[in-house]
Amino acid sequence: MARPSFREQVLRAREDAILSSVNRLLAEKGFDAMTVDEVAADVGIAKASLYKHFASKEELAAAAMVQVLDRALALLAELEADSQASPLERLRAATRWTMQVQLAGEMPALPAQNSALRSALSAHRVYMERLVALSETLGSWIVAAQKAGQLDPGLPPEVILYTLFARACDPVLGLLKASGNHSDERIVEMLLSTCFDGLSGSRVPAPARSARGRAEPR
Amino acid sequence: MARPSFREQVLRAREDAILSSVNRLLAEKGFDAMTVDEVAADVGIAKASLYKHFASKEELAAAAMVQVLDRALALLAELEADSQASPLERLRAATRWTMQVQLAGEMPALPAQNSALRSALSAHRVYMERLVALSETLGSWIVAAQKAGQLDPGLPPEVILYTLFARACDPVLGLLKASGNHSDERIVEMLLSTCFDGLSGSRVPAPARSARGRAEPR
DNA sequence: GTCTATAAACTGATAGAC
DNA sequence: GTCTATCAGTTTATAGAC
């Protein structure tokens, strides 16, 4: 790219504005309920201008999701650079980040099984490439954490991976935020706890009150 | 109701058939993507006949969800009748049931935050009454399980309740089923484990391989 | 003959695409 | 701003059950 002309910079900036709006609307209402008119109104441009940037509603959503995946990949790179952190600490930090992004209203919902979006995304090269990169890094951390006994070695790694993806869009976050009874920080810490330690809670410290019959076997 | 005439029985049976179709379609595609024409075609009746039974698409969905809630309430009553079971065992059994229903493709997705369905449901007396009844029973089990040290007493009960509701619609179930690598039974048991014991796994039995630094504090 | 289901056409509104 | 498709909901005319 020889010269980043002024015009190109303007287009670039506008695209970023569009993607921010799309991500927020995608998080708020989901793909089906989000209308292109709404996006245009939110960005403050004409609907026709949107179609100068993106060929379809699906393209629009895919580009927005690629943006989020790129932010996630940048975070993973940061975490990987911290050689002090254990695999589990990295996974918890990554999960905490996704929850914070969701609370900020910037995490688009997982495309539902039969959404029109799903097939479009599977066919989207850039999106799939980012998704695979993300999965591979997370997958390596998961396997390492299992080897270190920090994650249940009885679970197939893909089950843990899918669960972490799902928790990034967990509706519980939104329900708790809507209830207004807890700070964002507390919500994140509680859900991190339920995710990694379960509803039963971590039993690590000591067999505190183990008088009664213990939990059934897994 | 003096006599359950033949005609009434037919209508009743047809309503059941309709609700079954709606629940399946609701689980498959969600409320927005489901069309009334589709429902009529699936049941094998005319669209006009549908509107003889239900005044609107929202009414249709609400009735279907009430049916599911009633099935759930019946299960809770059964579990409550078993005086042997601990609160935790009851909660696990109830959660297992919801996962099985979801795997069977009969669990409608949680209405999204901004769905047109959400406000309709909040205004639906019967639906709300069932939902409250369900929440109260589950809530009492949750509090009892916390008192018995079977569930993390540091979590507000509503956090646990919301989490159990969310797990009934957990997209991880569908992802794992689609991957085809595990039997339905195994999927349910794994997700029950991640729900109650967390991704780290139950640490109850013994401090097996605790050589390395232990999990960070909650 | 009366009641009911059905198919099919139609309306109005909305949304994607250009 | 226009075009077209889709969908919720209604209406009408026809056919069949009792």
PDB file of all heavy atoms in Angstrom, chain D residues 4-15:
ATOM      1  P    DT D   4     -39.776  -4.588  -8.910  1.00  0.00           P
ATOM      2  OP1  DT D   4     -39.404  -5.092 -10.252  1.00  0.00           O
ATOM      3  OP2  DT D   4     -41.137  -4.036  -8.647  1.00  0.00           O
ATOM      4  O5'  DT D   4     -39.490  -5.739  -7.864  1.00  0.00           O
ATOM      5  C5'  DT D   4     -38.140  -6.063  -7.523  1.00  0.00           C
ATOM      6  C4'  DT D   4     -38.139  -6.882  -6.256  1.00  0.00           C
ATOM      7  O4'  DT D   4     -38.263  -6.025  -5.104  1.00  0.00           O
ATOM      8  C3'  DT D   4     -39.288  -7.894  -6.182  1.00  0.00           C
ATOM      9  O3'  DT D   4     -38.734  -9.176  -5.984  1.00  0.00           O
ATOM     10  C2'  DT D   4     -40.137  -7.409  -5.011  1.00  0.00           C
ATOM     11  C1'  DT D   4     -39.135  -6.638  -4.176  1.00  0.00           C
ATOM     12  N1   DT D   4     -39.693  -5.565  -3.319  1.00  0.00           N
ATOM     13  C2   DT D   4     -39.298  -5.471  -2.011  1.00  0.00           C
ATOM     14  O2   DT D   4     -38.489  -6.236  -1.516  1.00  0.00           O
ATOM     15  N3   DT D   4     -39.860  -4.444  -1.312  1.00  0.00           N
ATOM     16  C4   DT D   4     -40.777  -3.523  -1.768  1.00  0.00           C
ATOM     17  O4   DT D   4     -41.223  -2.646  -1.039  1.00  0.00           O
ATOM     18  C5   DT D   4     -41.170  -3.679  -3.151  1.00  0.00           C
ATOM     19  C7   DT D   4     -42.163  -2.733  -3.753  1.00  0.00           C
ATOM     20  C6   DT D   4     -40.607  -4.684  -3.856  1.00  0.00           C
ATOM     21  P    DA D   5     -39.664 -10.457  -6.017  1.00  0.00           P
ATOM     22  OP1  DA D   5     -39.084 -11.405  -6.978  1.00  0.00           O
ATOM     23  OP2  DA D   5     -41.084 -10.041  -6.130  1.00  0.00           O
ATOM     24  O5'  DA D   5     -39.419 -11.021  -4.549  1.00  0.00           O
ATOM     25  C5'  DA D   5     -38.156 -10.818  -3.944  1.00  0.00           C
ATOM     26  C4'  DA D   5     -38.235 -11.154  -2.467  1.00  0.00           C
ATOM     27  O4'  DA D   5     -38.667  -9.980  -1.734  1.00  0.00           O
ATOM     28  C3'  DA D   5     -39.225 -12.266  -2.118  1.00  0.00           C
ATOM     29  O3'  DA D   5     -38.638 -13.103  -1.139  1.00  0.00           O
ATOM     30  C2'  DA D   5     -40.433 -11.504  -1.580  1.00  0.00           C
ATOM     31  C1'  DA D   5     -39.780 -10.302  -0.930  1.00  0.00           C
ATOM     32  N9   DA D   5     -40.643  -9.115  -0.888  1.00  0.00           N
ATOM     33  C8   DA D   5     -41.406  -8.608  -1.891  1.00  0.00           C
ATOM     34  N7   DA D   5     -42.064  -7.525  -1.565  1.00  0.00           N
ATOM     35  C5   DA D   5     -41.707  -7.309  -0.247  1.00  0.00           C
ATOM     36  C6   DA D   5     -42.058  -6.310   0.677  1.00  0.00           C
ATOM     37  N6   DA D   5     -42.902  -5.306   0.396  1.00  0.00           N
ATOM     38  N1   DA D   5     -41.520  -6.384   1.923  1.00  0.00           N
ATOM     39  C2   DA D   5     -40.680  -7.395   2.196  1.00  0.00           C
ATOM     40  N3   DA D   5     -40.271  -8.382   1.412  1.00  0.00           N
ATOM     41  C4   DA D   5     -40.829  -8.273   0.188  1.00  0.00           C
ATOM     42  P    DT D   6     -39.355 -14.485  -0.769  1.00  0.00           P
ATOM     43  OP1  DT D   6     -38.331 -15.533  -0.815  1.00  0.00           O
ATOM     44  OP2  DT D   6     -40.604 -14.588  -1.559  1.00  0.00           O
ATOM     45  O5'  DT D   6     -39.751 -14.249   0.752  1.00  0.00           O
ATOM     46  C5'  DT D   6     -38.866 -13.507   1.595  1.00  0.00           C
ATOM     47  C4'  DT D   6     -39.610 -13.073   2.836  1.00  0.00           C
ATOM     48  O4'  DT D   6     -40.359 -11.857   2.567  1.00  0.00           O
ATOM     49  C3'  DT D   6     -40.635 -14.100   3.336  1.00  0.00           C
ATOM     50  O3'  DT D   6     -40.395 -14.312   4.716  1.00  0.00           O
ATOM     51  C2'  DT D   6     -41.975 -13.425   3.069  1.00  0.00           C
ATOM     52  C1'  DT D   6     -41.606 -11.955   3.200  1.00  0.00           C
ATOM     53  N1   DT D   6     -42.524 -10.999   2.527  1.00  0.00           N
ATOM     54  C2   DT D   6     -42.962  -9.886   3.208  1.00  0.00           C
ATOM     55  O2   DT D   6     -42.638  -9.651   4.362  1.00  0.00           O
ATOM     56  N3   DT D   6     -43.790  -9.058   2.502  1.00  0.00           N
ATOM     57  C4   DT D   6     -44.223  -9.226   1.188  1.00  0.00           C
ATOM     58  O4   DT D   6     -44.972  -8.416   0.668  1.00  0.00           O
ATOM     59  C5   DT D   6     -43.741 -10.418   0.527  1.00  0.00           C
ATOM     60  C7   DT D   6     -44.149 -10.702  -0.882  1.00  0.00           C
ATOM     61  C6   DT D   6     -42.916 -11.241   1.203  1.00  0.00           C
ATOM     62  P    DC D   7     -40.961 -15.644   5.426  1.00  0.00           P
ATOM     63  OP1  DC D   7     -39.806 -16.375   5.969  1.00  0.00           O
ATOM     64  OP2  DC D   7     -41.904 -16.297   4.494  1.00  0.00           O
ATOM     65  O5'  DC D   7     -41.799 -15.076   6.641  1.00  0.00           O
ATOM     66  C5'  DC D   7     -41.406 -13.836   7.265  1.00  0.00           C
ATOM     67  C4'  DC D   7     -42.613 -13.137   7.841  1.00  0.00           C
ATOM     68  O4'  DC D   7     -43.206 -12.274   6.838  1.00  0.00           O
ATOM     69  C3'  DC D   7     -43.728 -14.115   8.276  1.00  0.00           C
ATOM     70  O3'  DC D   7     -44.192 -13.741   9.558  1.00  0.00           O
ATOM     71  C2'  DC D   7     -44.801 -13.899   7.219  1.00  0.00           C
ATOM     72  C1'  DC D   7     -44.610 -12.410   6.911  1.00  0.00           C
ATOM     73  N1   DC D   7     -45.216 -11.960   5.632  1.00  0.00           N
ATOM     74  C2   DC D   7     -45.847 -10.711   5.573  1.00  0.00           C
ATOM     75  O2   DC D   7     -45.867 -10.007   6.579  1.00  0.00           O
ATOM     76  N3   DC D   7     -46.409 -10.314   4.410  1.00  0.00           N
ATOM     77  C4   DC D   7     -46.350 -11.114   3.335  1.00  0.00           C
ATOM     78  N4   DC D   7     -46.916 -10.678   2.206  1.00  0.00           N
ATOM     79  C5   DC D   7     -45.701 -12.398   3.380  1.00  0.00           C
ATOM     80  C6   DC D   7     -45.162 -12.777   4.532  1.00  0.00           C
ATOM     81  P    DA D   8     -44.889 -14.833  10.499  1.00  0.00           P
ATOM     82  OP1  DA D   8     -43.879 -15.275  11.492  1.00  0.00           O
ATOM     83  OP2  DA D   8     -45.573 -15.829   9.656  1.00  0.00           O
ATOM     84  O5'  DA D   8     -45.969 -13.966  11.277  1.00  0.00           O
ATOM     85  C5'  DA D   8     -45.567 -12.723  11.832  1.00  0.00           C
ATOM     86  C4'  DA D   8     -46.757 -11.790  11.937  1.00  0.00           C
ATOM     87  O4'  DA D   8     -47.128 -11.349  10.609  1.00  0.00           O
ATOM     88  C3'  DA D   8     -48.012 -12.416  12.549  1.00  0.00           C
ATOM     89  O3'  DA D   8     -48.626 -11.452  13.393  1.00  0.00           O
ATOM     90  C2'  DA D   8     -48.874 -12.736  11.328  1.00  0.00           C
ATOM     91  C1'  DA D   8     -48.486 -11.645  10.349  1.00  0.00           C
ATOM     92  N9   DA D   8     -48.544 -12.045   8.939  1.00  0.00           N
ATOM     93  C8   DA D   8     -47.972 -13.143   8.375  1.00  0.00           C
ATOM     94  N7   DA D   8     -48.190 -13.236   7.077  1.00  0.00           N
ATOM     95  C5   DA D   8     -48.948 -12.126   6.773  1.00  0.00           C
ATOM     96  C6   DA D   8     -49.490 -11.649   5.567  1.00  0.00           C
ATOM     97  N6   DA D   8     -49.364 -12.265   4.398  1.00  0.00           N
ATOM     98  N1   DA D   8     -50.205 -10.492   5.612  1.00  0.00           N
ATOM     99  C2   DA D   8     -50.335  -9.866   6.788  1.00  0.00           C
ATOM    100  N3   DA D   8     -49.864 -10.215   7.996  1.00  0.00           N
ATOM    101  C4   DA D   8     -49.170 -11.370   7.911  1.00  0.00           C
ATOM    102  P    DG D   9     -49.776 -11.973  14.388  1.00  0.00           P
ATOM    103  OP1  DG D   9     -49.840 -11.027  15.526  1.00  0.00           O
ATOM    104  OP2  DG D   9     -49.601 -13.405  14.658  1.00  0.00           O
ATOM    105  O5'  DG D   9     -51.092 -11.747  13.545  1.00  0.00           O
ATOM    106  C5'  DG D   9     -51.404 -10.421  13.134  1.00  0.00           C
ATOM    107  C4'  DG D   9     -52.482 -10.458  12.077  1.00  0.00           C
ATOM    108  O4'  DG D   9     -51.961 -11.007  10.849  1.00  0.00           O
ATOM    109  C3'  DG D   9     -53.721 -11.301  12.425  1.00  0.00           C
ATOM    110  O3'  DG D   9     -54.838 -10.433  12.466  1.00  0.00           O
ATOM    111  C2'  DG D   9     -53.802 -12.312  11.283  1.00  0.00           C
ATOM    112  C1'  DG D   9     -53.039 -11.592  10.173  1.00  0.00           C
ATOM    113  N9   DG D   9     -52.539 -12.464   9.115  1.00  0.00           N
ATOM    114  C8   DG D   9     -51.751 -13.578   9.251  1.00  0.00           C
ATOM    115  N7   DG D   9     -51.479 -14.156   8.104  1.00  0.00           N
ATOM    116  C5   DG D   9     -52.123 -13.377   7.163  1.00  0.00           C
ATOM    117  C6   DG D   9     -52.194 -13.497   5.756  1.00  0.00           C
ATOM    118  O6   DG D   9     -51.690 -14.358   5.040  1.00  0.00           O
ATOM    119  N1   DG D   9     -52.960 -12.490   5.180  1.00  0.00           N
ATOM    120  C2   DG D   9     -53.577 -11.473   5.886  1.00  0.00           C
ATOM    121  N2   DG D   9     -54.267 -10.587   5.175  1.00  0.00           N
ATOM    122  N3   DG D   9     -53.520 -11.343   7.197  1.00  0.00           N
ATOM    123  C4   DG D   9     -52.780 -12.331   7.771  1.00  0.00           C
ATOM    124  P    DT D  10     -56.362 -11.010  12.719  1.00  0.00           P
ATOM    125  OP1  DT D  10     -57.003 -10.062  13.644  1.00  0.00           O
ATOM    126  OP2  DT D  10     -56.270 -12.449  13.046  1.00  0.00           O
ATOM    127  O5'  DT D  10     -57.077 -10.864  11.300  1.00  0.00           O
ATOM    128  C5'  DT D  10     -56.765  -9.732  10.472  1.00  0.00           C
ATOM    129  C4'  DT D  10     -57.596  -9.781   9.203  1.00  0.00           C
ATOM    130  O4'  DT D  10     -56.909 -10.605   8.223  1.00  0.00           O
ATOM    131  C3'  DT D  10     -58.995 -10.393   9.349  1.00  0.00           C
ATOM    132  O3'  DT D  10     -59.910  -9.550   8.671  1.00  0.00           O
ATOM    133  C2'  DT D  10     -58.867 -11.761   8.699  1.00  0.00           C
ATOM    134  C1'  DT D  10     -57.808 -11.507   7.635  1.00  0.00           C
ATOM    135  N1   DT D  10     -57.009 -12.689   7.222  1.00  0.00           N
ATOM    136  C2   DT D  10     -56.885 -12.991   5.883  1.00  0.00           C
ATOM    137  O2   DT D  10     -57.403 -12.337   4.997  1.00  0.00           O
ATOM    138  N3   DT D  10     -56.121 -14.105   5.607  1.00  0.00           N
ATOM    139  C4   DT D  10     -55.482 -14.930   6.526  1.00  0.00           C
ATOM    140  O4   DT D  10     -54.825 -15.901   6.167  1.00  0.00           O
ATOM    141  C5   DT D  10     -55.667 -14.561   7.909  1.00  0.00           C
ATOM    142  C7   DT D  10     -55.035 -15.378   8.990  1.00  0.00           C
ATOM    143  C6   DT D  10     -56.414 -13.465   8.193  1.00  0.00           C
ATOM    144  P    DT D  11     -61.495  -9.843   8.815  1.00  0.00           P
ATOM    145  OP1  DT D  11     -62.144  -8.553   9.114  1.00  0.00           O
ATOM    146  OP2  DT D  11     -61.726 -11.023   9.672  1.00  0.00           O
ATOM    147  O5'  DT D  11     -61.869 -10.251   7.317  1.00  0.00           O
ATOM    148  C5'  DT D  11     -61.143  -9.686   6.224  1.00  0.00           C
ATOM    149  C4'  DT D  11     -61.452 -10.465   4.963  1.00  0.00           C
ATOM    150  O4'  DT D  11     -60.516 -11.570   4.832  1.00  0.00           O
ATOM    151  C3'  DT D  11     -62.852 -11.095   4.925  1.00  0.00           C
ATOM    152  O3'  DT D  11     -63.454 -10.807   3.674  1.00  0.00           O
ATOM    153  C2'  DT D  11     -62.605 -12.585   5.077  1.00  0.00           C
ATOM    154  C1'  DT D  11     -61.220 -12.736   4.461  1.00  0.00           C
ATOM    155  N1   DT D  11     -60.417 -13.883   4.962  1.00  0.00           N
ATOM    156  C2   DT D  11     -59.755 -14.688   4.063  1.00  0.00           C
ATOM    157  O2   DT D  11     -59.800 -14.509   2.862  1.00  0.00           O
ATOM    158  N3   DT D  11     -59.027 -15.710   4.631  1.00  0.00           N
ATOM    159  C4   DT D  11     -58.921 -16.005   5.982  1.00  0.00           C
ATOM    160  O4   DT D  11     -58.247 -16.944   6.367  1.00  0.00           O
ATOM    161  C5   DT D  11     -59.644 -15.120   6.870  1.00  0.00           C
ATOM    162  C7   DT D  11     -59.597 -15.358   8.340  1.00  0.00           C
ATOM    163  C6   DT D  11     -60.358 -14.106   6.326  1.00  0.00           C
ATOM    164  P    DT D  12     -65.047 -11.017   3.516  1.00  0.00           P
ATOM    165  OP1  DT D  12     -65.587  -9.688   3.217  1.00  0.00           O
ATOM    166  OP2  DT D  12     -65.601 -11.802   4.636  1.00  0.00           O
ATOM    167  O5'  DT D  12     -65.125 -11.909   2.193  1.00  0.00           O
ATOM    168  C5'  DT D  12     -63.999 -11.955   1.297  1.00  0.00           C
ATOM    169  C4'  DT D  12     -64.027 -13.251   0.520  1.00  0.00           C
ATOM    170  O4'  DT D  12     -63.127 -14.218   1.120  1.00  0.00           O
ATOM    171  C3'  DT D  12     -65.409 -13.941   0.504  1.00  0.00           C
ATOM    172  O3'  DT D  12     -65.661 -14.486  -0.785  1.00  0.00           O
ATOM    173  C2'  DT D  12     -65.259 -15.042   1.525  1.00  0.00           C
ATOM    174  C1'  DT D  12     -63.815 -15.446   1.272  1.00  0.00           C
ATOM    175  N1   DT D  12     -63.171 -16.197   2.385  1.00  0.00           N
ATOM    176  C2   DT D  12     -62.274 -17.213   2.086  1.00  0.00           C
ATOM    177  O2   DT D  12     -61.978 -17.529   0.961  1.00  0.00           O
ATOM    178  N3   DT D  12     -61.751 -17.844   3.185  1.00  0.00           N
ATOM    179  C4   DT D  12     -62.029 -17.576   4.518  1.00  0.00           C
ATOM    180  O4   DT D  12     -61.503 -18.217   5.409  1.00  0.00           O
ATOM    181  C5   DT D  12     -62.971 -16.505   4.746  1.00  0.00           C
ATOM    182  C7   DT D  12     -63.349 -16.142   6.153  1.00  0.00           C
ATOM    183  C6   DT D  12     -63.501 -15.865   3.684  1.00  0.00           C
ATOM    184  P    DA D  13     -67.142 -14.761  -1.292  1.00  0.00           P
ATOM    185  OP1  DA D  13     -67.620 -13.515  -1.924  1.00  0.00           O
ATOM    186  OP2  DA D  13     -67.940 -15.368  -0.220  1.00  0.00           O
ATOM    187  O5'  DA D  13     -66.900 -15.854  -2.417  1.00  0.00           O
ATOM    188  C5'  DA D  13     -65.568 -16.131  -2.874  1.00  0.00           C
ATOM    189  C4'  DA D  13     -65.320 -17.634  -2.884  1.00  0.00           C
ATOM    190  O4'  DA D  13     -64.756 -18.042  -1.608  1.00  0.00           O
ATOM    191  C3'  DA D  13     -66.589 -18.478  -3.078  1.00  0.00           C
ATOM    192  O3'  DA D  13     -66.304 -19.506  -4.011  1.00  0.00           O
ATOM    193  C2'  DA D  13     -66.888 -19.011  -1.698  1.00  0.00           C
ATOM    194  C1'  DA D  13     -65.485 -19.173  -1.141  1.00  0.00           C
ATOM    195  N9   DA D  13     -65.388 -19.175   0.316  1.00  0.00           N
ATOM    196  C8   DA D  13     -66.061 -18.372   1.197  1.00  0.00           C
ATOM    197  N7   DA D  13     -65.771 -18.607   2.458  1.00  0.00           N
ATOM    198  C5   DA D  13     -64.827 -19.629   2.407  1.00  0.00           C
ATOM    199  C6   DA D  13     -64.123 -20.321   3.411  1.00  0.00           C
ATOM    200  N6   DA D  13     -64.273 -20.071   4.707  1.00  0.00           N
ATOM    201  N1   DA D  13     -63.261 -21.289   3.012  1.00  0.00           N
ATOM    202  C2   DA D  13     -63.133 -21.525   1.710  1.00  0.00           C
ATOM    203  N3   DA D  13     -63.739 -20.938   0.672  1.00  0.00           N
ATOM    204  C4   DA D  13     -64.584 -19.984   1.094  1.00  0.00           C
ATOM    205  P    DT D  14     -67.461 -20.525  -4.459  1.00  0.00           P
ATOM    206  OP1  DT D  14     -67.491 -20.518  -5.929  1.00  0.00           O
ATOM    207  OP2  DT D  14     -68.677 -20.255  -3.665  1.00  0.00           O
ATOM    208  O5'  DT D  14     -66.867 -21.928  -4.005  1.00  0.00           O
ATOM    209  C5'  DT D  14     -65.458 -22.179  -4.122  1.00  0.00           C
ATOM    210  C4'  DT D  14     -65.119 -23.424  -3.338  1.00  0.00           C
ATOM    211  O4'  DT D  14     -65.007 -23.113  -1.930  1.00  0.00           O
ATOM    212  C3'  DT D  14     -66.163 -24.547  -3.461  1.00  0.00           C
ATOM    213  O3'  DT D  14     -65.502 -25.758  -3.807  1.00  0.00           O
ATOM    214  C2'  DT D  14     -66.785 -24.613  -2.080  1.00  0.00           C
ATOM    215  C1'  DT D  14     -65.645 -24.138  -1.186  1.00  0.00           C
ATOM    216  N1   DT D  14     -66.064 -23.561   0.122  1.00  0.00           N
ATOM    217  C2   DT D  14     -65.483 -24.027   1.277  1.00  0.00           C
ATOM    218  O2   DT D  14     -64.626 -24.892   1.286  1.00  0.00           O
ATOM    219  N3   DT D  14     -65.937 -23.428   2.426  1.00  0.00           N
ATOM    220  C4   DT D  14     -66.903 -22.434   2.534  1.00  0.00           C
ATOM    221  O4   DT D  14     -67.226 -21.971   3.611  1.00  0.00           O
ATOM    222  C5   DT D  14     -67.473 -22.003   1.285  1.00  0.00           C
ATOM    223  C7   DT D  14     -68.534 -20.938   1.267  1.00  0.00           C
ATOM    224  C6   DT D  14     -67.039 -22.570   0.140  1.00  0.00           C
ATOM    225  P    DA D  15     -66.338 -27.038  -4.260  1.00  0.00           P
ATOM    226  OP1  DA D  15     -65.788 -27.486  -5.551  1.00  0.00           O
ATOM    227  OP2  DA D  15     -67.780 -26.716  -4.118  1.00  0.00           O
ATOM    228  O5'  DA D  15     -65.964 -28.110  -3.153  1.00  0.00           O
ATOM    229  C5'  DA D  15     -64.644 -28.130  -2.586  1.00  0.00           C
ATOM    230  C4'  DA D  15     -64.682 -28.887  -1.276  1.00  0.00           C
ATOM    231  O4'  DA D  15     -65.094 -28.002  -0.219  1.00  0.00           O
ATOM    232  C3'  DA D  15     -65.656 -30.068  -1.261  1.00  0.00           C
ATOM    233  O3'  DA D  15     -64.999 -31.186  -0.683  1.00  0.00           O
ATOM    234  C2'  DA D  15     -66.809 -29.577  -0.397  1.00  0.00           C
ATOM    235  C1'  DA D  15     -66.086 -28.644   0.561  1.00  0.00           C
ATOM    236  N9   DA D  15     -66.921 -27.603   1.159  1.00  0.00           N
ATOM    237  C8   DA D  15     -67.785 -26.768   0.528  1.00  0.00           C
ATOM    238  N7   DA D  15     -68.407 -25.933   1.318  1.00  0.00           N
ATOM    239  C5   DA D  15     -67.914 -26.237   2.585  1.00  0.00           C
ATOM    240  C6   DA D  15     -68.170 -25.717   3.861  1.00  0.00           C
ATOM    241  N6   DA D  15     -69.032 -24.715   4.081  1.00  0.00           N
ATOM    242  N1   DA D  15     -67.507 -26.259   4.904  1.00  0.00           N
ATOM    243  C2   DA D  15     -66.660 -27.249   4.678  1.00  0.00           C
ATOM    244  N3   DA D  15     -66.324 -27.832   3.522  1.00  0.00           N
ATOM    245  C4   DA D  15     -66.996 -27.270   2.506  1.00  0.00           C
TER     246       DA D  15
END
